[in-house]
Amino acid sequence: MHAPKAILLDLNGTLHIENSPTRDAVAALAKLYEHFPIRFVTNTTKESSNTLYNRLVSIGFEIKQEEIFTSLVATKKLLKSRSSRPLLFLEPDALEEFADLDCSNPNSVVIGLSPSSFNYDKLNQAYSIIESGGDFIAIHKARYYKTSKNMELGPGCFVVGLEYSTGKKSTVVGKPSRSFYQLVIDDLGVSFEDVVMIGDSVTDDCLGAIELGMQAILVKTGKYKAGDELQCPDTFDDFASAVEHLVRLKPE
């Protein structure tokens, strides 16, 4: 691994798990800021950007809200560009991001992580919209995610189920899509090869980044599972350990 010019950093599972920072993460982030520009990239869809930012600040992280890039915001931009009226599979807090969109008589389907929305009637409504030619947008296709108690089911199985039933592929907006990462790279003003992505998902964070030419670091927290490190050579116990390694790479 060579010294990067900038860092992309996953949030839940890497920097924190719900309301608890991972080991020494607050101090490690402050140290990382001394050496590199940082952007936070997250597929979190259960809460709005404002709620997410306030959560991070409340547990001790000193960050700027404009440094957080969420798949919710990217999805909203896509919907506006297509003049879509979406059927939204989102929790109430996350719906805040879409308050100014017309969702009447929906002509598109947007699926995020929304346990309260995944019922037969609403999924059947989504099926009908997609079958009729409506846009099918997956904010992300995570198989599972980490809570403070255990691993829980992600939205990916519902996305894949609708793909199977309709025979139509979804447009994935968040990680690991190139378009999402490109937004962040453009904001930093660097190239993909100048960046290291740090995350707990070997698929969405690490392999997705590597395919685009970035370097990647996998951390053994969050949704990490034993054996994931076989697919990502640069693996560390946690975010704080990864920061120590990156700081050592930086030329004096």
Side-chain angles (χ1 to χ4, degrees), residues 21-244:
T22 54
R23 182 191 68 86
D24 293 339
V26 172
L29 180 62
K31 186 175 185 179
L32 195 63
Y33 264 124
E34 295 174 2
H35 298 274
F36 303 98
I38 301 169
R39 295 295 183 271
F40 304 92
V41 288
T42 177
N43 279 344
T44 297
T45 58
K46 285 187 72 176
E47 57 190 7
S48 69
S49 299
N50 286 332
T51 300
L52 175 60
Y53 170 72
N54 290 331
R55 177 201 294 267
L56 293 168
V57 171
S58 72
I59 59 178
F61 293 107
E62 295 185 10
I63 64 176
K64 297 177 181 177
Q65 189 165 3
E66 59 266 27
E67 294 173 336
I68 302 174
F69 286 74
T70 75
S71 52
L72 284 177
V73 172
T75 299
K76 182 178 178 179
K77 288 181 179 179
L78 177 62
L79 291 170
K80 283 192 167 184
S81 72
R82 296 181 176 182
S83 300
S84 295
R85 301 185 308 276
L87 174 67
L88 297 166
F89 285 77
L90 292 170
E91 291 298 280
D93 190 87
L95 288 172
E96 175 187 315
E97 298 279 3
F98 301 86
D100 59 339
L101 292 185
D102 178 9
C103 296
S104 62
N105 190 25
N107 61 2
S108 61
V109 173
V110 174
I111 295 186
L113 179 59
S114 182
S116 65
S117 296
F118 294 132
N119 59 72
Y120 182 84
D121 287 343
K122 190 167 183 178
L123 286 166
N124 198 42
Q125 184 183 2
Y127 168 80
S128 297
I129 293 169
I130 298 166
E131 271 287 289
S132 300
D135 283 342
F136 181 16
I137 297 169
I139 301 180
H140 63 90
K141 293 176 75 173
R143 293 177 293 169
Y144 47 82
Y145 68 102
K146 177 69 173 176
T147 70
S148 58
K149 296 180 180 179
N150 48 35
M151 295 287 195
E152 296 195 359
L153 188 66
C157 60
F158 298 98
V159 175
V160 173
L162 283 169
E163 288 178 335
Y164 174 76
S165 295
T166 62
K168 299 178 181 180
K169 286 291 185 181
S170 61
T171 298
V172 180
V173 177
K175 296 181 295 182
S177 73
R178 183 185 186 93
S179 59
F180 182 66
Y181 277 124
Q182 190 70 58
L183 285 173
V184 191
I185 293 297
D186 290 346
D187 184 67
L188 284 164
V190 296
S191 301
F192 282 115
E193 57 266 25
D194 296 326
V195 172
V196 168
M197 173 70 209
I198 307 174
D200 65 321
S201 170
V202 71
T203 52
D204 292 348
D205 295 326
C206 298
L207 296 182
I210 290 169
E211 286 180 7
L212 294 174
M214 290 183 269
Q215 300 181 93
I217 288 176
L218 177 67
V219 293
K220 294 182 177 181
T221 53
K223 64 177 68 173
Y224 163 83
K225 290 185 176 181
D228 285 349
E229 67 275 11
L230 299 177
Q231 301 181 72
C232 187
D234 293 297
T235 300
F236 295 87
D237 286 341
D238 52 28
F239 170 66
S241 299
V243 169
E244 291 176 9

